[in-house]
Amino acid sequence: MYSKLQYISQGETIEKQLHNIHQALDSGCNWVQMRFKNQTTKDTFALAEVVKPLCEKYTANFIVNDDIYLARQIDADGVHLGLTDTKIDEARAFLGTSKVIGGTANTFEDIENHVKNGCDYIGLGPFRFTTTKEKLSPILGLSGYFNILQKIKKNKIEIPVYAIGGITLKDVSPLMETGIHGIALSGIITESDEREKLIQQLNEKLYADIIV
């Protein structure tokens, strides 16, 4: 079963990335998507080379953002692909069946295509405006998630869906009620002064439905 909380890394340098990832892992995150945009191949590989054993030490899943070649070269647990990145079916053919492949979606049609092409989980968003990502797709809001999740259920599609985009602690419970599997966060974890407390609060809300 996939973790309900994903951390998407931030930082404009290798040092900042490593600091933020280490802090997230130390605070209880067990799923890291390494997102290091607009960097040289050398620097991205250098970062991945350190993050992989770090995630192994914390028994956390290590997912590479966008780059299927790096994911295979570094033997990451998988890759997450945006709507304009490598196609899901091409990534699956390249990486094989043992690797996790996530795909960004903004509509039900995106999800349908991803599932048909062998995607393992969906990052659906954005929930609201966020400065973390350039060229945002249309904002979904709670009603957007509800409508899309209803279509997924109606069409008997079974795939973990993660909400992403400007999510705060108070958004988690209402979002979970739409039927999503979990959430993917970046800035809120990176910028927190009390990461461990925040992640504990997030997990309490994310796993509230299975707490006995």
Side-chain angles (χ1 to χ4, degrees), residues 86-116:
T86 307
K87 301 297 183 187
I88 299 290
D89 55 351
E90 292 173 14
R92 178 60 71 203
F94 184 75
L95 293 173
T97 57
S98 64
K99 298 301 182 185
V100 176
I101 298 179
T104 298
N106 180 246
T107 66
F108 172 70
E109 288 71 28
D110 291 337
I111 296 172
E112 263 191 324
N113 287 331
H114 285 344
V115 171
K116 181 179 68 178

Side-chain angles (χ1 to χ4, degrees), residues 3-8 31 33 80 121-124 127 145 161-168 175 180-189 206:
S3 170
K4 293 193 176 192
L5 177 62
Q6 298 184 3
Y7 172 61
I8 302 173
W31 184 296
Q33 181 191 140
H80 183 92
Y121 75 87
I122 300 293
L124 179 63
F127 173 62
Y145 280 92
V161 175
Y162 289 82
I164 184 171
I167 296 166
T168 65
L175 275 167
I180 59 166
H181 175 76
I183 57 174
L185 300 177
S186 191
I188 185 177
I189 291 177
L206 288 166

